[in-house]
Amino acid sequence: MTIDLRSCTGALAAFLSGILAAVALTNPARMRWPVTEPQSKIDQWISSQSTSVVVGAIVAVGACAYLQHRGSRRRAWAFVCVGVVVLILIRYLVPEELGLDLLSVLGFAKTIAAGIILGGAVAASWDNRIGRNLLIVGVVSTWLAAQSSTGDLIPTSTSSIGEPAWALLWLTLICAVACAITVDPESRPGEGEPGVAAAALAVVAGLAVTQRILSSVVDRQEDPSTYSGWVVMVASTVAVLTLTWFCTGKLDAASDSGGFLWAATALVAAATTVFADLTDRFFLDGDRTSPLVITALAIIAVVFGLARSRHGDRRIVGLALLASIPLSELIFSGDHELALLLRIVALGVGSGLLFGSVLPSNPVIGALGLTIPFTALIFISIGQHEIETVSSTYVQPNAPSTYLERNSELRSYIDASEPGAAYRAEASTIAYAYEEPPRSVGTALLMCVVVVATGIALRRRNPVDTPSPD
């Protein structure tokens, strides 16, 4: 058996590019930073992080559309190289003493670079089955696993999960440069379908901006257990589903490949309660499985799901598995570590089965679908609405970590960067959480309805537009 070194390098580069882009675009809103800025500036900084993710998603689709139009695989890998170099420069700058304004600028540069990497990797590898599947595995598994790091007190960073590791940055750059140098000049991405690029750009901009606006509305709800709070959350969910239905109709009119959007929407809805449980557990307990273990489980699960999807249409199985995840909230609470791990594995398998069954042949639609998990902010806001993260310049001087009883329903967790921080005006972050979050049952049922709605939408569609096997 002859090993094609060029193909292996391309597949590895696609996998690493997917991981790197996902790390740079994943930015959970609840986190603890040792910063000393006024609360108003901290709120503005946190808000800019979500906005930068929206910008990065739009750049990813735009870059992929441009590269498909140019028809150059070498140019696509060159885009990946440029994006990685930008991330390396940001990685050098961030450890310095930077203000929140400059961090916000670097955050936007980071997500734009991530969008360039994702768009370039999709354009370069989408018409190759192994490269395409490894790219999906890298993006989805990293998005699932990155949520497990949201409880750590990190140094100043452009995002809540920190900067990409040096090893990941340099290895991705080396592989991308190798691909750009060794790529066959006659190997070119497939021709784009008329109107698809424009439709995809309009869809990603409309969906991402709408999700950003609605998530900010939900975040401003003070008490999600009240009638008005739930009305806002349900209305926002209906609005997102309606807009997704409208957008998939526009995409189907151009390429009959809008089902990938529904699949990504179902994945995010199913993951909502899992991510909320992870955040609850990590903020309040600090006891958790290693992110490396969760990453390995997520990768294996997504690979298994994609492999099984090759043996037939697995949409129903994938949707059923995803729908069962929020329903499991009725049986297991977030305190069960094994249940959390099983749900992460179920998310990986379900997403692999569903994505593998509705893969579009057009790489621009592929780039669009892969950005949905990062821009579906409304679902994450609904799931984690009970956890309100703020920063304060005052902490108790007695211990680095102290529980304070506020009242019978609410408790606050104060985590200072060091025991004597109060005397040096070091900031702490206070995470509020209900003892028994009213979110659990209501949000689980709401997210299950979203998965069922996406399933109905997929079942009413025409036969799936799948890419060629090779």
Side-chain angles (χ1 to χ4, degrees):
M1 180 179 178
T2 303
I3 298 178
D4 188 344
L5 186 59
R6 182 186 297 167
S7 298
C8 292
T9 305
L12 179 59
F15 178 62
L16 294 173
S17 298
I19 293 176
L20 183 56
V23 169
L25 289 173
T26 302
N27 197 356
R30 276 73 181 176
M31 191 58 195
R32 293 173 284 177
W33 297 275
V35 294
T36 57
E37 300 286 349
Q39 184 60 46
S40 59
K41 293 197 68 173
I42 293 175
D43 292 339
Q44 184 179 9
W45 175 46
I46 294 175
S47 177
S48 71
Q49 291 179 336
S50 298
T51 304
S52 67
V53 172
V54 171
V55 174
I58 297 174
V59 169
V61 177
C64 187
Y66 168 78
L67 291 168
Q68 187 186 37
H69 174 71
R70 299 296 296 180
S72 171
R73 204 179 302 275
R74 175 167 291 163
R75 190 188 300 264
W77 286 120
F79 266 49
V80 175
C81 295
V82 170
V84 178
V85 169
V86 172
L87 293 183
I88 290 175
L89 293 176
I90 293 173
R91 186 75 165 83
Y92 271 115
L93 291 174
V94 166
E96 302 296 331
E97 293 294 332
L98 304 176
L100 292 186
D101 292 335
L102 184 54
L103 277 177
S104 296
V105 173
L106 291 178
F108 275 93
K110 176 181 178 179
T111 55
I112 290 173
I116 292 173
I117 293 171
L118 182 58
V122 171
S125 59
W126 197 256
D127 56 355
N128 178 273
R129 180 178 61 83
I130 297 178
R132 177 183 65 240
N133 287 349
L134 285 178
L135 175 62
I136 294 173
V137 170
V139 171
V140 176
S141 62
T142 303
W143 175 72
L144 292 175
Q147 309 293 329
S148 65
S149 63
T150 58
D152 296 323
L153 182 64
I154 62 172
T156 303
S157 174
T158 58
S159 68
S160 60
I161 64 172
E163 305 304 319
W166 282 116
L168 176 62
L169 288 168
W170 288 113
L171 189 56
T172 305
L173 180 61
I174 292 171
C175 290
V177 169
C179 289
I181 294 175
T182 62
V183 68
D184 186 355
E186 298 181 358
S187 176
R188 304 171 67 85
E191 294 292 332
E193 301 166 78
V196 173
L201 278 171
V203 167
V204 70
L207 279 175
V209 172
T210 301
Q211 293 258 15
R212 179 68 187 94
I213 294 173
L214 291 177
S215 67
S216 65
V217 172
V218 171
D219 288 338
R220 286 197 295 267
Q221 300 300 307
E222 295 182 357
D223 187 354
S225 64
T226 62
Y227 176 79
S228 60
W230 279 106
V231 167
V232 170
M233 289 190 282
V234 172
S236 299
T237 302
V238 172
V240 168
L241 289 177
T242 302
L243 181 60
T244 303
W245 172 80
F246 176 79
C247 291
T248 52
K250 294 298 182 181
L251 291 177
D252 285 339
S255 65
D256 191 32
S257 56
F260 201 46
L261 270 68
W262 284 119
T265 302
L267 170 61
V268 180
T272 296
T273 56
V274 179
F275 292 168
D277 287 338
L278 283 169
T279 305
D280 286 351
R281 179 179 176 83
F282 296 168
F283 266 126
L284 300 179
D285 300 330
D287 180 23
R288 52 194 177 275
T289 302
S290 169
L292 293 177
V293 174
I294 296 179
T295 301
L297 288 175
I299 290 175
I300 294 171
V302 177
V303 168
F304 177 80
L306 285 172
R308 297 303 302 171
S309 67
R310 294 186 61 195
H311 301 287
D313 188 346
R314 306 293 185 183
R315 281 179 289 177
I316 298 300
V317 178
L319 285 165
L321 191 57
L322 292 179
S324 68
I325 295 170
L327 289 180
S328 66
E329 285 285 335
L330 306 178
I331 304 174
F332 302 103
S333 70
D335 294 333
H336 292 80
E337 183 176 7
L338 180 59
L340 274 173
L341 296 178
L342 289 176
R343 276 179 276 181
I344 291 174
V345 171
L347 280 170
V349 175
S351 62
L353 290 171
L354 190 56
F355 278 18
S357 299
V358 297
L359 280 175
S361 59
N362 194 303
V364 179
I365 306 300
L368 171 60
L370 291 179
T371 62
I372 295 298
F374 308 102
T375 59
L377 303 171
I378 182 63
F379 298 125
I380 305 301
S381 292
I382 290 174
Q384 296 185 347
H385 190 50
E386 274 75 15
I387 300 226
E388 178 187 0
T389 302
V390 298
S391 289
S392 169
T393 55
Y394 172 77
V395 295
Q396 293 288 335
N398 56 343
S401 297
T402 307
Y403 279 100
L404 297 179
E405 292 294 335
R406 292 289 295 257
N407 53 48
S408 59
E409 294 181 330
L410 207 60
R411 64 181 177 179
S412 62
Y413 179 65
I414 295 183
D415 193 330
S417 58
E418 52 183 317
Y423 300 106
R424 284 178 290 277
E426 291 289 340
S428 68
T429 297
I430 306 172
Y432 297 99
Y434 289 93
E435 293 285 354
E436 295 180 1
R439 163 199 42 84
S440 300
V441 175
T443 303
L445 293 176
L446 181 59
M447 294 301 105
C448 184
V449 169
V450 173
V451 177
V452 171
T454 59
I456 294 173
L458 283 172
R459 289 298 296 172
R460 293 172 64 88
R461 288 173 42 77
N462 294 328
V464 180
D465 177 29
T466 55
S468 61
D470 298 320

